[in-house]
Protein backbone atom coordinates (compact mmCIF):
# COMPACT_ATOMS: atom_id res chain seq x y z
CA UNK A 1 0.00 0.00 0.00
CA UNK A 2 1.81 3.12 1.25
CA UNK A 3 4.79 1.19 2.62
CA UNK A 4 7.13 2.08 -0.25
CA UNK A 5 6.25 5.79 0.02
CA UNK A 6 6.92 5.77 3.78
CA UNK A 7 10.28 4.07 3.38
CA UNK A 8 11.35 6.46 0.62
CA UNK A 9 10.29 9.47 2.67
CA UNK A 10 11.98 8.15 5.84
CA UNK A 11 15.43 8.29 4.27
CA UNK A 12 14.89 11.81 2.94
CA UNK A 13 13.40 13.14 6.16
CA UNK A 14 16.02 11.60 8.43
CA UNK A 15 18.75 13.20 6.30
CA UNK A 16 17.54 16.51 7.80
CA UNK A 17 17.91 15.31 11.42
CA UNK A 18 20.66 14.62 13.95
CA UNK A 19 18.52 12.41 16.20
CA UNK A 20 15.16 10.60 16.00
CA UNK A 21 12.73 10.92 18.92
CA UNK A 22 9.82 8.48 19.01
CA UNK A 23 7.00 9.29 21.44
CA UNK A 24 3.85 7.71 22.87
CA UNK A 25 0.52 7.12 21.20
CA UNK A 26 -1.75 4.33 20.07
CA UNK A 27 -1.15 0.62 20.56
CA UNK A 28 0.93 -1.13 17.90
CA UNK A 29 -0.86 -3.48 15.52
CA UNK A 30 -0.01 -6.96 16.87
CA UNK A 31 0.31 -8.39 13.34
CA UNK A 32 3.76 -6.70 13.27
CA UNK A 33 4.95 -9.05 16.02
CA UNK A 34 3.09 -12.16 14.90
CA UNK A 35 0.03 -12.04 17.19
CA UNK A 36 -3.72 -11.75 16.77
CA UNK A 37 -5.41 -8.74 18.42
CA UNK A 38 -6.32 -9.22 22.09
CA UNK A 39 -9.95 -8.23 22.87
CA UNK A 40 -8.57 -5.55 25.23
CA UNK A 41 -6.27 -4.00 22.63
CA UNK A 42 -6.89 -0.28 22.35
CA UNK A 43 -6.76 1.91 19.22
CA UNK A 44 -4.13 1.20 16.58
CA UNK A 45 -3.04 3.42 13.70
CA UNK A 46 -1.61 1.26 10.91
CA UNK A 47 -0.41 4.21 8.84
CA UNK A 48 1.52 5.56 11.83
CA UNK A 49 2.90 2.09 12.59
CA UNK A 50 4.30 1.78 9.06
CA UNK A 51 5.63 5.34 9.01
CA UNK A 52 7.26 5.08 12.45
CA UNK A 53 8.75 1.67 11.66
CA UNK A 54 10.24 3.06 8.46
CA UNK A 55 11.82 5.94 10.39
CA UNK A 56 13.22 3.63 13.09
CA UNK A 57 14.57 1.08 10.63
CA UNK A 58 16.27 3.81 8.61
CA UNK A 59 17.71 5.42 11.77
CA UNK A 60 19.12 2.05 12.86
CA UNK A 61 20.61 1.42 9.40
CA UNK A 62 22.21 4.89 9.44
CA UNK A 63 23.45 4.42 13.05
CA UNK A 64 21.52 7.55 14.04
CA UNK A 65 20.88 8.18 17.75
CA UNK A 66 17.28 7.49 18.81
CA UNK A 67 15.31 8.35 21.95
CA UNK A 68 12.19 6.24 22.37
CA UNK A 69 9.58 6.66 25.11
CA UNK A 70 6.34 4.77 25.73
CA UNK A 71 4.99 3.63 22.35
CA UNK A 72 8.35 4.51 20.80
CA UNK A 73 10.17 2.06 23.09
CA UNK A 74 7.60 -0.63 22.31
CA UNK A 75 7.96 0.01 18.58
CA UNK A 76 11.76 -0.15 18.80
CA UNK A 77 11.38 -3.53 20.47
CA UNK A 78 9.09 -4.74 17.64
CA UNK A 79 11.37 -3.36 14.90
CA UNK A 80 14.27 -5.28 16.48
CA UNK A 81 12.25 -8.54 16.43
CA UNK A 82 10.63 -8.47 19.86
CA UNK A 83 7.02 -9.01 20.92
CA UNK A 84 4.69 -7.25 23.36
CA UNK A 85 2.14 -8.17 26.00
CA UNK A 86 -0.95 -6.54 24.51
CA UNK A 87 -2.86 -6.05 27.77
CA UNK A 88 -0.80 -6.30 30.95
CA UNK A 89 -3.74 -6.30 33.42
CA UNK A 90 -5.27 -9.41 31.84
CA UNK A 91 -1.98 -11.22 31.13
CA UNK A 92 -1.58 -14.50 33.00
CA UNK A 93 1.86 -13.41 34.22
CA UNK A 94 0.41 -10.30 35.94
CA UNK A 95 -2.95 -11.50 37.29
CA UNK A 96 -1.74 -11.40 40.93
CA UNK A 97 -0.12 -7.95 40.65
CA UNK A 98 -1.42 -4.89 42.48
CA UNK A 99 0.28 -2.55 40.03
CA UNK A 100 -2.13 -0.34 38.05
CA UNK A 101 -1.09 -0.32 34.38
CA UNK A 102 -3.70 2.15 33.13
CA UNK A 103 -4.52 5.74 33.87
CA UNK A 104 -7.28 5.68 36.52
CA UNK A 105 -9.30 8.06 34.31
CA UNK A 106 -9.66 5.26 31.72
Amino acid sequence: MHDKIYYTNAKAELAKCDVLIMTGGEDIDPSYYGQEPDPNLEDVNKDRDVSDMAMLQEAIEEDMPVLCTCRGAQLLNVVCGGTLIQDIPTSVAYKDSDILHRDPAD
Side-chain angles (χ1 to χ4, degrees), residues 5 7 9 23 29 31-32 46 49 51 53 71 80 98-99 102:
I5 294 168
Y7 283 89
N9 291 344
T23 61
D29 184 331
S31 67
Y32 293 116
K46 288 189 177 203
D49 287 347
S51 174
M53 285 191 294
R71 177 189 194 280
C80 291
D98 294 329
I99 298 171
R102 281 207 168 79

Side-chain angles (χ1 to χ4, degrees), residues 32-66:
Y32 293 116
Y33 48 94
Q35 294 181 9
E36 293 294 320
D38 183 279
N40 295 305
L41 184 72
E42 295 184 4
D43 294 336
V44 296
N45 181 334
K46 288 189 177 203
D47 284 338
R48 182 176 179 198
D49 287 347
V50 172
S51 174
D52 284 358
M53 285 191 294
M55 297 293 275
L56 269 172
Q57 288 172 337
E58 184 63 29
I60 291 167
E61 286 176 21
E62 295 297 321
D63 201 26
M64 175 182 275
V66 297

Side-chain angles (χ1 to χ4, degrees), residues 11-101:
K11 188 171 190 71
E13 293 304 315
L14 284 178
K16 304 173 190 175
C17 303
D18 295 321
V19 63
L20 176 64
I21 300 174
M22 303 300 290
T23 61
E26 306 89 358
D27 285 344
I28 299 163
D29 184 331
S31 67
Y32 293 116
Y33 48 94
Q35 294 181 9
E36 293 294 320
D38 183 279
N40 295 305
L41 184 72
E42 295 184 4
D43 294 336
V44 296
N45 181 334
K46 288 189 177 203
D47 284 338
R48 182 176 179 198
D49 287 347
V50 172
S51 174
D52 284 358
M53 285 191 294
M55 297 293 275
L56 269 172
Q57 288 172 337
E58 184 63 29
I60 291 167
E61 286 176 21
E62 295 297 321
D63 201 26
M64 175 182 275
V66 297
L67 173 64
C68 299
T69 63
C70 300
R71 177 189 194 280
Q74 294 173 3
L75 193 64
L76 179 61
N77 175 57
V78 170
V79 165
C80 291
T83 62
L84 300 172
I85 296 172
Q86 294 180 47
D87 189 63
I88 291 174
T90 60
S91 168
V92 173
Y94 295 92
K95 288 235 184 231
D96 295 327
S97 175
D98 294 329
I99 298 171
L100 183 63
H101 290 278

